[in-house]
Amino acid sequence: MLSAELHCHSELSFDGRDPVELLLSQADAVGLDALAVTDHDEIDASLAAADRAADYGLIGIPGSEVTSAAGHVLALGIDERVPAGLPFTETIDHIHDQGGIAVVPHPFQRSRSGVAPHITSEELASADAIEILSLIHI
């Protein structure tokens, strides 16, 4: 089993602040196996991180957090930017056309552009995965 961070932002995102090198070193320091930098509607930092990941003993996964017309979709395993503003299913198609995996992040959070309130269950099922948060308190 691998441990991976599949949804983090670099200084290229409005809600990120860290340069790629810091993200990679932090991922290595906490014992992760893989890292995907998924900046909002950008891919340059992610491609750089994926390129440098092996230097930190990590698997680099290129990706982006794409803003579809319905809300955010993570595009993992892509190498070209997916255009922002497309309908949800068209965004999914662009990701799949690149051989990528489409993950719906924070699906129910309206304040973070979750898609669930804006699409049908069938559309939601066209994604490959849905991000969840699981907390275990011991």
Side-chain angles (χ1 to χ4, degrees), residues 7-43:
H7 184 186
C8 71
H9 303 304
S10 80
E11 60 195 348
L12 289 186
S13 284
F14 66 89
D15 55 352
R17 67 177 189 274
D18 298 329
V20 165
E21 292 77 17
L22 182 57
L23 293 172
L24 290 166
S25 66
Q26 288 173 335
D28 178 38
V30 299
L32 292 179
D33 299 303
L35 179 69
V37 175
T38 53
D39 287 318
H40 292 276
D41 303 312
E42 297 284 344
I43 194 167

Side-chain angles (χ1 to χ4, degrees), residues 4-5 8 12 18 20 24 32-33 57 59-60 62 78 86 89 101 103 111-112 116 118 120 123 130 134:
E5 167 61 76
C8 71
L12 289 186
D18 298 329
V20 165
L24 290 166
L32 292 179
D33 299 303
I59 298 166
I78 61 168
L86 299 174
T89 53
I101 296 171
V103 179
S111 64
R112 294 180 63 206
H118 309 288
T120 66
E123 288 173 311
I130 299 173
S134 177

Side-chain angles (χ1 to χ4, degrees), residues 90-128:
E90 196 172 329
T91 299
I92 300 290
D93 289 343
H94 275 271
I95 295 166
H96 288 161
D97 287 348
Q98 291 190 51
I101 296 171
V103 179
V104 176
H106 43 74
F108 304 105
Q109 291 182 317
R110 290 177 194 238
S111 64
R112 294 180 63 206
S113 299
V115 299
H118 309 288
I119 61 174
T120 66
S121 296
E122 291 78 20
E123 288 173 311
L124 184 60
S126 69
D128 301 300

